[in-house]
Amino acid sequence: MRRYAIIAPACLFAFSTVAVAAEADPIIVTARGRAEAEIRVPDTIAVYGPAAIAARRLTTIDDFIAATPGIFIINDQDPGTNLISVRGVSTNRNQSPSIAYIVDGLALADSELFTLRPYDVARVEILKGPQGALFGRSASGGAIAMATNDPGPDWGGEAAVGIGNGLTWTADGVVNAPVSDQVQLRLAGSYRNSDGFIRNTFLDKKVDGSISRNLRLKAKVALAEGSTLKFRLGWANEEGGAAYISSGNVTGLYGGKLSGKALTNPFGDFEGRASRTWWGAQATWEQEMGDALMLTWTGGYDDYHKDFVEELDFRNDTPVTLFGVALFPNGIQPIAQPVDIKAWTSEARLTSRGEGPLRWHVGLFFQRLERDRTDDFGPLLFGGEALRAETRSSQIGVFAQASYDIAPQVEVTGALRYDSDRRREDTVGAASSTIVAQRARTFEKWQPKLSLAWRPSDRITAYVTGAIGFKAGGFNPLPGAADVWQAVFPAETTRSVEAGVKGQSADGRVRLSIAGFVTDYQNFQNTVFLGNSVVLSVPQVDVHGIEASAQAALGAGFSVDGGLAWTHSRTGRYLTPNPTPEPGEPAVLDMSGQRTPNAPDWTVNGGIGWQGAAGPAMVDARLSVAYVSRVDFEIDNILHSPGYASVDGRAGMSHGAWTFDIWAKNLLDKRWAISAFGQQQLPLLLGLGPNGPFDSFTINSGRQYGASARVRF
């Protein structure tokens, strides 16, 4: 009971507004399946509208997450590999995500799609805590909902060009074209070309350069009064450097602390490269059924291919030795891991209309995912055949939610969803298609959610919310007689209770709220490298925390905002095989009480802005700082990045149809590690030589700055 008691002091002594957008009051969200004021929603939500996106210059999903306390992302190795943690609930490599990502009302099928470049964005909502009752499996930590701009009734558009360090230049454009009173079109595109920022000292070249090309066409067709059909067709292509990983004995020389002299540039003799192409289509039909009901159906298809090649020694010494034996005369390269994804997604929903005392919706969801990943480990195969994992997933979800005003100031909301995820994985020879292993399992879960909200006025909401979420399990390589892992690992489950208070002043100039939470986190899917990439489930993780932030307009054009999240995420009793046993070391390690990977205890953001006139022009300026405390990259808590802070700034000037701005990210050019693999968790690195053992890590890109011009027409 003691750990649940944290909610009460959190609500009394912390304050948190997670509505950070500075747009018109009230801030409107769709977190519960209908448009409503954010202050009325009994959940923790961060909202970014057009003004906030421009002021903070949020151009990637990494930017949105970095601006939001309580959520953390690692985006490394290649453009599609990302690990997102929300309140200590963490995604692990090659597994299903722990956060649902919804674009224009449709859930993305795989985390590879999460890092496609966002552009022409209308709104982003980030929901924290289990959201399975509405968004289904893989929303065990939370959900990100992104809406892109729909076509409008007026001709017009905008174009923007930008230039920055690293020989980076960008071009973005939007054209809104109403063809008739019934048909409206919107074409948007984004282009980015950069030489990069991280130099490989052996190859004497920058190795993180990239090119990103994106197009989207949306159509809106009025079929009849109260009936609308929407289409979206999108395409993206990216190519550039990948796996620009550094190497060094950080564990032995620096105790695993990735800072200072330990943070070397990469110096391997092989340049990693990645390219990926995505195209997708979506159709949405909305039908008003009188004044009482709205019927919505949306369906989509995604097609994705990624090529990825790297080395695994990340050094230029030859020959490369393994436990003193010169096995690799030319190094451990090339290593290839291509990925192919095809996904079909469909959702139908019936929603009540109006603002009566009872508000509800019911729905049916289906998603089919076909994912193929080839693990061609090159020299490590010693002439053997590469293997391909062919994963097939069919998910069916049925859900319902109802909110009822049991008194003029009291609302109760109940939601329930059942998800069944039938998964099958065949491991086959990449060339011969010989079947090596076949596994199948159905993961299913009822996911309830219950909220009680008290609103003594339109400016205050106090609430208590309880929810359950889950993430499907999966398949390890078939274990041998001496192996310690299981062929099938179980689903993760999160059970969370959150209590909070949201408030704002009568004029909307000050926004505050309170939030505290406790999460019971079971079967955390922790990835280790025991010859193969395998999942060893951690039976119990205990999570609790407090989130706090505030926003205020100070007058004279000045405004301030700030937010913090404290998340205490620790393993329960957990005994696990020693992945790198040496003579005299125990075969089983006690990892109880360890920090969970990629889940910092503290994330803090703050900023000050000013808007005002400068002669005939309008000026909009903002300076902000973000702090992340210690990040542990593996469950042994050895290899870690100490806390770091980053300062960003932007100043824009608008006159008529034109806007000019200058900006900088990581203004003080701080360096830190964004991901790492440690020698105590990966036998390959422990035995690598000459002059080993080594750890491997990726450093951030340092200071970025630039200028842009935008014109509306």
Side-chain angles (χ1 to χ4, degrees):
M1 294 296 295
R2 181 185 61 83
R3 60 192 181 93
Y4 283 90
I6 191 171
I7 293 176
C11 294
L12 291 173
F13 300 112
F15 60 92
S16 171
T17 179
V18 287
V20 296
E23 284 86 23
D25 185 29
I27 297 170
I28 301 300
V29 298
T30 58
R32 295 196 292 179
R34 66 174 63 243
E36 58 185 328
E38 183 275 335
I39 197 171
R40 296 181 60 84
V41 179
D43 273 308
T44 303
I45 314 172
V47 188
Y48 301 93
I53 292 171
R56 296 166 180 256
R57 203 174 185 278
L58 306 177
T59 60
T60 67
I61 188 61
D62 303 61
D63 292 338
F64 285 99
I65 289 175
T68 309
I71 181 169
F72 184 73
I73 185 171
I74 287 179
N75 189 0
D76 75 338
Q77 179 179 297
D78 63 78
T81 299
N82 60 88
L83 313 175
I84 300 177
S85 299
V86 189
R87 291 180 170 177
V89 180
S90 177
T91 301
N92 235 292
R93 194 172 299 271
N94 292 327
Q95 308 308 324
S96 298
S98 298
I99 187 167
Y101 196 141
I102 299 93
V103 177
D104 289 335
L106 207 59
L108 299 180
D110 193 277
S111 60
E112 286 274 348
L113 309 178
F114 288 8
T115 50
L116 294 172
R117 190 171 183 83
Y119 58 102
D120 195 28
V121 175
R123 185 182 66 257
V124 172
E125 302 173 19
I126 299 179
L127 292 78
K128 302 177 212 173
Q131 302 296 329
L134 189 59
F135 300 111
R137 69 116 171 97
S138 292
S140 54
I144 299 174
M146 178 180 295
T148 61
N149 285 305
D150 281 335
D154 301 318
W155 281 91
E158 60 183 45
V161 294
I163 189 169
N165 63 322
L167 289 179
T168 301
W169 66 281
T170 60
D172 297 270
V174 174
V175 176
N176 196 82
V179 177
S180 67
D181 291 341
Q182 288 75 39
V183 180
Q184 301 166 359
L185 301 177
R186 187 177 183 92
L187 179 65
S190 178
Y191 179 83
R192 182 182 186 273
N193 190 326
S194 176
D195 274 7
F197 308 91
I198 297 174
R199 180 171 293 277
N200 181 301
T201 56
F202 180 79
L203 299 176
D204 194 25
K205 62 182 297 187
K206 293 179 180 177
V207 288
D208 63 328
S210 64
I211 300 175
S212 174
R213 311 171 183 91
N214 306 268
L215 282 174
R216 182 192 306 123
L217 177 65
K218 298 186 76 172
K220 183 177 181 181
V221 182
L223 300 177
E225 185 175 356
S227 182
T228 304
L229 189 61
K230 299 178 182 179
F231 296 97
R232 185 189 73 190
L233 185 64
W235 171 84
N237 174 262
E238 297 177 354
E239 56 185 283
Y244 31 88
I245 296 175
S246 301
S247 177
N249 187 8
V250 182
T251 297
L253 297 177
Y254 304 100
K257 184 178 180 180
L258 284 158
S259 65
K261 293 181 179 180
L263 289 178
T264 60
N265 282 326
F267 53 85
D269 57 3
F270 185 88
E271 183 180 3
R273 301 290 296 177
S275 64
R276 59 178 182 164
T277 300
W278 164 86
W279 75 269
Q282 180 180 348
T284 301
W285 174 52
E286 299 174 345
Q287 177 65 58
E288 296 178 6
M289 303 176 68
D291 296 331
L293 299 174
M294 170 73 80
L295 178 63
T296 304
W297 171 85
T298 183
Y301 172 74
D302 293 287
D303 188 288
Y304 176 91
H305 173 75
K306 179 182 73 178
D307 286 314
F308 169 54
V309 63
E310 63 168 340
E311 64 176 340
L312 283 186
D313 56 280
F314 310 116
R315 306 184 68 80
N316 54 65
D317 309 294
T318 53
V320 171
T321 62
L322 189 61
F323 296 104
V325 181
L327 294 178
F328 311 105
N330 299 312
I332 308 177
Q333 61 193 35
I335 307 299
Q337 285 184 303
V339 173
D340 287 281
I341 293 171
K342 289 180 171 58
W344 297 261
T345 308
S346 179
E347 182 178 283
R349 183 177 301 193
L350 185 64
T351 305
S352 67
R353 303 178 65 196
E355 298 299 327
L358 177 63
R359 301 166 296 280
W360 58 268
H361 66 253
V362 295
L364 178 65
F365 176 88
F366 171 78
Q367 188 170 78
R368 169 70 174 179
L369 171 65
E370 297 181 357
R371 189 183 201 271
D372 296 342
R373 187 191 79 244
T374 300
D375 294 328
D376 184 354
F377 293 127
L380 289 178
L381 296 175
F382 299 104
E385 185 179 21
L387 299 180
R388 181 173 65 248
E390 300 176 346
T391 305
R392 304 294 181 260
S393 168
S394 295
Q395 178 192 354
I396 297 176
V398 181
F399 58 93
Q401 178 175 282
S403 298
Y404 184 69
D405 298 330
I406 59 177
Q409 297 177 337
V410 181
E411 176 199 73
V412 61
T413 299
L416 182 64
R417 177 165 177 147
Y418 170 76
D419 272 322
S420 175
D421 187 3
R422 173 66 176 174
R423 294 195 162 218
R424 176 188 176 95
E425 184 171 286
D426 294 346
T427 304
V428 303
S432 67
S433 297
T434 302
I435 296 176
V436 177
Q438 291 181 307
R439 280 76 50 81
R441 183 66 61 89
T442 297
F443 301 95
E444 54 188 354
K445 188 74 175 178
W446 289 95
Q447 299 164 88
K449 185 175 183 180
L450 183 65
S451 301
L452 183 66
W454 174 54
R455 304 187 185 98
S457 75
D458 291 339
R459 300 189 300 274
I460 299 175
T461 296
Y463 65 90
V464 177
T465 295
I468 293 177
F470 96 112
K471 182 174 76 172
F475 309 105
N476 284 320
L478 284 180
D483 291 326
V484 297
W485 63 86
Q486 303 297 316
V488 180
F489 55 87
E492 289 184 355
T493 302
T494 54
R495 297 176 174 87
S496 182
V497 177
E498 175 180 337
V501 177
K502 303 179 181 183
Q504 65 182 48
S505 61
D507 58 6
R509 294 170 62 87
V510 178
R511 301 179 186 272
L512 303 170
S513 68
I514 298 168
F517 60 90
V518 173
T519 302
D520 180 23
Y521 186 9
Q522 296 181 353
N523 292 324
F524 165 55
Q525 297 167 3
N526 182 54
T527 299
V528 295
F529 297 91
L530 301 176
N532 294 289
S533 174
V534 301
V535 168
L536 299 179
S537 294
V538 180
Q540 181 71 37
V541 176
D542 298 313
V543 184
H544 53 261
I546 300 171
E547 296 189 355
S549 62
Q551 178 183 349
L554 303 179
F558 286 95
S559 63
V560 294
D561 57 79
L564 63 86
W566 173 69
T567 303
H568 189 270
S569 178
R570 301 292 189 271
T571 61
R573 178 162 176 77
Y574 178 48
L575 302 178
T576 182
N578 187 343
T580 57
E582 293 189 89
E585 291 187 348
V588 176
L589 300 177
D590 186 351
M591 295 290 181
S592 306
Q594 299 291 93
R595 295 180 176 91
T596 53
N598 313 321
D601 284 358
W602 289 93
T603 49
V604 183
N605 299 78
I608 183 169
W610 181 78
Q611 290 180 321
M618 292 297 297
V619 175
D620 179 8
R622 175 180 170 84
L623 188 67
S624 61
V625 61
Y627 171 76
V628 175
S629 67
R630 169 176 170 150
V631 178
D632 290 276
F633 297 109
E634 293 165 326
I635 205 164
D636 62 6
N637 290 182
I638 294 175
L639 207 60
H640 67 278
S641 175
Y644 55 86
S646 177
V647 177
D648 298 346
R650 175 190 170 272
M653 181 176 67
S654 300
H655 180 62
W658 288 88
T659 299
F660 304 90
D661 67 358
I662 57 174
W663 57 271
K665 294 187 176 183
N666 191 10
L667 184 62
L668 303 181
D669 198 24
K670 298 294 185 179
R671 308 306 294 268
W672 58 83
I674 62 174
S675 69
F677 292 100
Q679 59 188 261
Q680 298 302 313
Q681 290 288 300
L682 184 55
L684 174 68
L685 294 176
L686 186 66
L688 209 59
N691 303 316
F694 307 115
D695 303 284
S696 64
F697 55 91
T698 303
I699 58 175
N700 73 317
S701 57
R703 177 169 49 224
Q704 298 184 36
Y705 54 87
S708 66
R710 182 179 301 269
V711 61
R712 300 186 306 276
F713 55 86

